[in-house]
Amino acid sequence: MKSARTVTPAQARERLADACARAEYCTHELREKLRRWRVEPGEAERIVQELVRTRYVDDARYACAFVRRKAEYARWGRRKIAAALAMKRIDRSVAAEALGEIDPQAYEEALTGVLQAKARMLGDEALTTYDGRTRLFRHAASRGYETDAIARVLRRMMAE
């Protein structure tokens, strides 16, 4: 296995500023990069704080972009997005604010799409049998959707 090479603090700051100019990163990801580059912890924290001060990195901006990307394109549910933000050590209040920006109608449409795609895979039994509905429910739950939303959409799909 290849070992990580040591990077000077000036090189690390320049690399991170360049990376942050091209894409959104959270402070946790930057700290992990600095740790892998074997930058001294005190120096690493100074670099991260400087990048925050100069607005190269902003956890609130990152959380909003992350939520938008995962909700719209990956069609994740709120629970899965919240868990992913927690793993990236985004503050709960920041994550809650970003999750609050999800459009409820678009969210329900995404859930409907997820359930319809799975129902097509399962075939005729999907909405007519208990086992089929259970499989649909579990699939949507594994994508991070809330149980009440799943139940509401499944009832609507069965009525159609």
Side-chain angles (χ1 to χ4, degrees):
M1 187 169 155
K2 192 174 175 182
S3 67
R5 55 182 214 201
T6 305
V7 177
T8 67
Q11 290 173 324
R13 193 236 175 263
E14 187 175 321
R15 282 185 186 180
L16 291 178
D18 185 51
C20 289
R22 286 184 276 120
E24 286 291 340
Y25 289 92
C26 65
T27 54
H28 176 68
E29 291 171 333
L30 298 183
R31 286 183 180 102
E32 283 299 307
K33 283 181 181 287
L34 290 165
R35 185 188 58 75
R36 281 194 310 272
W37 292 342
R38 296 184 180 156
V39 175
E40 186 179 309
E43 194 65 35
E45 193 56 35
R46 190 188 62 73
I47 292 169
V48 169
Q49 292 308 316
E50 181 182 343
L51 291 172
V52 168
R53 185 180 49 78
T54 56
R55 302 214 14 100
Y56 273 101
V57 65
D58 181 0
D59 281 349
R61 188 177 64 215
Y62 174 83
C64 288
F66 185 86
V67 167
R68 194 175 320 110
R69 189 171 57 247
K70 296 303 182 185
E72 291 177 15
Y73 302 115
R75 299 194 315 189
W76 284 9
R78 284 186 184 97
R79 289 181 21 223
K80 187 170 183 174
I81 295 170
L85 287 172
M87 287 180 64
K88 292 182 178 288
R89 298 186 183 157
I90 302 294
D91 187 63
R92 279 187 178 169
S93 62
V94 172
E97 189 174 323
L99 286 166
E101 293 181 12
I102 296 175
D103 177 34
Q105 185 175 354
Y107 185 74
E108 195 152 310
E109 287 171 10
L111 172 56
T112 302
V114 166
L115 288 170
Q116 286 173 341
K118 186 65 174 180
R120 281 191 298 275
M121 286 177 54
L122 295 175
D124 295 336
E125 71 168 42
L127 292 170
T128 57
T129 65
Y130 176 78
D131 185 50
R133 288 189 302 272
T134 301
R135 291 176 75 180
L136 287 173
F137 196 94
R138 285 184 181 166
H139 176 71
S142 74
R143 299 290 297 264
Y145 289 96
E146 300 87 351
T147 56
D148 58 335
I150 299 168
R152 183 175 54 250
V153 171
L154 276 175
R155 278 194 297 273
R156 186 171 36 86
M157 288 173 65
M158 289 180 354
E160 293 174 352

